[in-house]
Amino acid sequence: MRARIFQQPKTAMQSGLAGTHIWVLEWEPADRSRQDPLMGWYGSGDTRNQVHLHFPTKEEAVAYADRHGIEYDLELPAKRVHKPKAYAENFKYGRSENWTH
């Protein structure tokens, strides 16, 4: 069974970085989910997709997978580019676009 190790991304609804510094190990699904004929809910007999192991560092997550013989794919996070902005730039002289209000 193969696993995926990645760093938790921030959601679109949050502006801060809280909870994004942890590393997660989760297993790939072993079989497809199927629809229950009576209720219409989707489910699977595979319970490993419900397990998400959290680690404070990437090295601890990789060490855990190696120690337990788990094959894994390591996904490194994309480099975050921070562009500082100031409100005064909306009114600066020589601005390339027109200010519309």
Side-chain angles (χ1 to χ4, degrees):
M1 172 117 349
R2 206 154 178 85
R4 178 179 107 153
I5 298 174
F6 63 99
Q7 195 170 19
Q8 193 83 18
K10 76 182 193 85
T11 65
M13 300 302 294
Q14 102 189 77
S15 60
L17 298 175
T20 61
H21 302 294
I22 60 172
W23 288 82
V24 180
L25 184 143
E26 66 179 21
W27 280 269
E28 292 180 0
D31 62 344
R32 292 181 44 197
S33 61
R34 53 193 174 277
Q35 187 175 13
D36 181 51
L38 179 64
M39 297 298 290
W41 298 341
Y42 284 88
S44 170
D46 182 26
T47 58
R48 283 197 175 187
N49 61 359
Q50 300 173 7
V51 177
H52 302 273
L53 301 176
H54 299 274
F55 299 92
T57 63
K58 172 181 64 170
E59 290 77 20
E60 290 183 24
V62 169
Y64 177 86
D66 290 338
R67 191 170 49 245
H68 291 283
I70 301 170
E71 295 180 17
Y72 61 89
D73 294 324
L74 183 63
E75 297 178 8
L76 298 175
K79 186 71 176 169
R80 185 168 179 230
V81 178
H82 179 68
K83 297 178 186 176
K85 300 176 189 175
Y87 181 68
E89 291 178 7
N90 292 329
F91 308 103
K92 74 179 180 181
Y93 181 78
R95 181 181 155 111
S96 61
E97 302 143 5
N98 292 333
W99 187 72
T100 58
H101 265 52

